[in-house]
């Protein structure tokens, strides 16, 4: 990939488009294969399950009437505009990769919200912890998620790492 500071900033959008395509393709495959609530065990700790989420992460506002659909769509559109603006400004590869992954994930889930009114989730991990403790019991089984959610998570982690690795400018002494 070229440097994000070059005039070819739009190439980062190709990564975002690839995430949207992978997300929508996998969701289409799951929708054509499974019925809602159906689960197919792949391993002792991983299953494919067709679930729908009308809320945000961990089904936040999932039980509210139809308005969250529009709220989350507006947030996704606003975030997408901001991310494209940030990509145009440039940055190092880690930063731009993180932004591109978050953009692709946000747009992938936005496609579901616009078309279906809810997000399709299908990746389910369970019994993945070597011990069981009441403080983390809510993570087992982990809520179902999708490719877009994974891209957002990895992208956010990259942005956090970039924030730690970024060298601060010279400090100014206050007198």
């Amino acid at each position: 990939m070229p440097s994000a500071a070059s005039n070819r900033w739009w190439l980062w959008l190709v990564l975002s488009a690839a995430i949207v395509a992978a997300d929508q393709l996998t969701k289409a495959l799951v929708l054509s294969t499974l019925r809602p609530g159906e689960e197919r065990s792949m391993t002792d700790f991983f299953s494919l399950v067709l679930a729908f989420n009308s809320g945000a992460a961990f089904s936040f506002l999932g039980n509210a009437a139809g308005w969250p659909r529009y709220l989350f769509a507006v947030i996704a559109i606003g975030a997408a505009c901001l991310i494209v603006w940030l990509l145009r400004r440039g940055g190092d590869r880690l930063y731009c990769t993180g932004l591109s992954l978050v953009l692709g994930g946000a747009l992938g889930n936005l496609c579901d919200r616009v078309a279906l009114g809810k997000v399709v989730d299908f990746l389910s991990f369970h019994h993945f912890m070597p011990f069981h403790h009441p403080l983390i019991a809510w993570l087992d089984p982990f809520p179902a998620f999708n490719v877009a959610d994974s891209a957002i998570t990895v992208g956010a982690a990259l942005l956090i790492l970039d924030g730690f690795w970024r060298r601060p400018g010279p400090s100014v002494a206050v007198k």
Side-chain angles (χ1 to χ4, degrees), residues 22-44:
D23 179 64
Q24 292 300 298
L25 176 64
T26 55
K27 288 173 180 175
L29 287 170
V30 169
L31 284 168
S32 69
T33 306
L34 299 176
R35 292 183 310 276
E38 182 180 354
E39 183 174 355
R40 292 208 184 147
S41 259
M42 307 306 276
T43 69
D44 289 343

Side-chain angles (χ1 to χ4, degrees), residues 132-138:
H132 187 76
H133 190 278
L135 292 177
I136 57 172
W138 64 276

Side-chain angles (χ1 to χ4, degrees), residues 1-2 8-22 87 96 100-101 103-104:
M1 283 229 151
R8 297 190 298 173
W9 65 270
W10 57 270
L11 288 173
W12 290 104
L13 299 181
V14 173
L15 175 57
S16 297
I19 296 297
V20 173
L87 285 170
C96 289
S100 296
L101 291 174
L103 177 61

Side-chain angles (χ1 to χ4, degrees), residues 26-163:
T26 55
K27 288 173 180 175
L29 287 170
V30 169
L31 284 168
S32 69
T33 306
L34 299 176
R35 292 183 310 276
E38 182 180 354
E39 183 174 355
R40 292 208 184 147
S41 259
M42 307 306 276
T43 69
D44 289 343
F45 62 89
F46 174 69
S47 298
L48 295 176
V49 60
L50 178 54
F52 298 97
N53 182 0
S54 57
F58 301 103
S59 295
F60 175 68
L61 295 177
N63 292 331
W67 65 267
R69 171 186 186 180
Y70 303 104
L71 171 67
F72 297 133
V74 167
I75 290 170
I77 292 167
C81 292
L82 174 63
I83 291 170
V84 170
W85 179 75
L86 290 170
L87 285 170
R88 288 193 63 150
R89 289 183 58 211
D92 63 20
R93 288 178 191 254
L94 185 64
Y95 176 73
C96 289
T97 301
L99 288 175
S100 296
L101 291 174
V102 171
L103 177 61
L107 293 177
N109 283 339
L110 177 62
C111 290
D112 288 6
R113 289 193 194 285
V114 169
L116 306 172
K118 52 195 167 195
V119 175
V120 176
D121 291 325
F122 60 92
L123 301 170
S124 177
F125 286 88
H126 43 86
H127 309 299
F128 61 92
M129 295 191 193
F131 59 89
H132 187 76
H133 190 278
L135 292 177
I136 57 172
W138 64 276
L139 285 174
D140 195 11
F142 197 78
F145 59 100
N146 56 46
V147 173
D149 297 335
S150 301
I152 291 169
T153 302
V154 171
L158 293 177
L159 291 171
I160 291 168
L161 281 174
D162 180 68

